[in-house]
mmCIF file of all heavy atoms in Angstrom:
data_model
loop_
_atom_site.group_PDB
_atom_site.id
_atom_site.type_symbol
_atom_site.label_atom_id
_atom_site.label_comp_id
_atom_site.label_asym_id
_atom_site.label_seq_id
_atom_site.Cartn_x
_atom_site.Cartn_y
_atom_site.Cartn_z
ATOM 1 N N THR A 33 86.175 97.737 124.983
ATOM 2 C CA THR A 33 86.814 99.021 125.320
ATOM 3 C C THR A 33 87.968 99.346 124.372
ATOM 4 O O THR A 33 88.367 100.502 124.268
ATOM 5 C CB THR A 33 87.396 98.986 126.747
ATOM 6 O OG1 THR A 33 88.308 97.878 126.840
ATOM 7 C CG2 THR A 33 86.308 98.838 127.795
ATOM 8 N N ILE A 70 80.468 102.602 130.177
ATOM 9 C CA ILE A 70 80.506 102.073 131.543
ATOM 10 C C ILE A 70 81.490 100.901 131.550
ATOM 11 O O ILE A 70 81.189 99.824 131.029
ATOM 12 C CB ILE A 70 79.109 101.628 132.028
ATOM 13 C CG1 ILE A 70 78.048 102.696 131.727
ATOM 14 C CG2 ILE A 70 79.158 101.280 133.513
ATOM 15 C CD1 ILE A 70 78.322 104.068 132.311
ATOM 16 N N THR A 71 82.662 101.144 132.123
ATOM 17 C CA THR A 71 83.734 100.152 132.129
ATOM 18 C C THR A 71 83.928 99.612 133.544
ATOM 19 O O THR A 71 83.198 99.974 134.468
ATOM 20 C CB THR A 71 85.057 100.799 131.672
ATOM 21 O OG1 THR A 71 85.415 101.785 132.653
ATOM 22 C CG2 THR A 71 84.919 101.459 130.316
ATOM 23 N N GLY A 72 84.973 98.804 133.689
ATOM 24 C CA GLY A 72 85.309 98.282 135.009
ATOM 25 C C GLY A 72 85.747 99.366 135.982
ATOM 26 O O GLY A 72 85.903 99.105 137.179
ATOM 27 N N ALA A 73 85.928 100.588 135.490
ATOM 28 C CA ALA A 73 86.270 101.696 136.386
ATOM 29 C C ALA A 73 85.091 102.051 137.283
ATOM 30 O O ALA A 73 85.269 102.700 138.306
ATOM 31 C CB ALA A 73 86.704 102.918 135.569
ATOM 32 N N TYR A 74 83.897 101.619 136.877
ATOM 33 C CA TYR A 74 82.716 101.831 137.721
ATOM 34 C C TYR A 74 82.658 100.699 138.732
ATOM 35 O O TYR A 74 82.727 99.532 138.370
ATOM 36 C CB TYR A 74 81.431 101.845 136.881
ATOM 37 C CG TYR A 74 81.256 103.116 136.094
ATOM 38 C CD1 TYR A 74 82.091 103.404 135.008
ATOM 39 C CD2 TYR A 74 80.262 104.028 136.424
ATOM 40 C CE1 TYR A 74 81.936 104.572 134.282
ATOM 41 C CE2 TYR A 74 80.096 105.205 135.697
ATOM 42 C CZ TYR A 74 80.934 105.465 134.625
ATOM 43 O OH TYR A 74 80.769 106.627 133.914
ATOM 44 N N SER A 75 82.507 101.063 139.986
ATOM 45 C CA SER A 75 82.595 100.066 141.049
ATOM 46 C C SER A 75 81.303 99.980 141.855
ATOM 47 O O SER A 75 80.580 100.958 142.004
ATOM 48 C CB SER A 75 83.766 100.445 141.969
ATOM 49 O OG SER A 75 83.662 99.773 143.196
ATOM 50 N N ARG A 91 76.183 97.049 134.230
ATOM 51 C CA ARG A 91 77.223 96.420 133.399
ATOM 52 C C ARG A 91 77.353 94.938 133.739
ATOM 53 O O ARG A 91 77.458 94.086 132.861
ATOM 54 C CB ARG A 91 78.551 97.151 133.608
ATOM 55 C CG ARG A 91 79.750 96.480 132.960
ATOM 56 C CD ARG A 91 81.005 97.352 133.093
ATOM 57 N NE ARG A 91 82.187 96.681 132.574
ATOM 58 C CZ ARG A 91 83.084 96.047 133.322
ATOM 59 N NH1 ARG A 91 82.930 96.020 134.644
ATOM 60 N NH2 ARG A 91 84.139 95.459 132.770
ATOM 61 N N LEU A 180 84.873 90.750 132.170
ATOM 62 C CA LEU A 180 86.238 90.992 131.700
ATOM 63 C C LEU A 180 86.471 92.496 131.572
ATOM 64 O O LEU A 180 85.535 93.260 131.295
ATOM 65 C CB LEU A 180 86.448 90.326 130.340
ATOM 66 C CG LEU A 180 86.509 88.791 130.344
ATOM 67 C CD1 LEU A 180 86.524 88.271 128.917
ATOM 68 C CD2 LEU A 180 87.736 88.296 131.102
ATOM 69 N N GLY A 181 87.724 92.890 131.755
ATOM 70 C CA GLY A 181 88.055 94.317 131.733
ATOM 71 C C GLY A 181 87.774 95.000 130.408
ATOM 72 O O GLY A 181 87.571 96.211 130.346
ATOM 73 N N PHE A 183 85.159 94.493 128.627
ATOM 74 C CA PHE A 183 83.721 94.549 128.404
ATOM 75 C C PHE A 183 83.165 95.896 128.861
ATOM 76 O O PHE A 183 83.354 96.295 130.012
ATOM 77 C CB PHE A 183 83.022 93.419 129.165
ATOM 78 C CG PHE A 183 81.516 93.443 129.058
ATOM 79 C CD1 PHE A 183 80.887 92.965 127.914
ATOM 80 C CD2 PHE A 183 80.730 93.951 130.081
ATOM 81 C CE1 PHE A 183 79.499 92.982 127.806
ATOM 82 C CE2 PHE A 183 79.346 93.976 129.987
ATOM 83 C CZ PHE A 183 78.730 93.492 128.840
ATOM 84 N N ALA A 184 82.487 96.574 127.958
ATOM 85 C CA ALA A 184 81.881 97.860 128.320
ATOM 86 C C ALA A 184 80.399 97.859 128.002
ATOM 87 O O ALA A 184 79.965 97.318 126.978
ATOM 88 C CB ALA A 184 82.572 99.002 127.587
#
Side-chain angles (χ1 to χ4, degrees):
T33 56
I70 313 303
T71 65
Y74 285 70
S75 163
R91 172 174 175 261
L180 289 172
F183 177 79

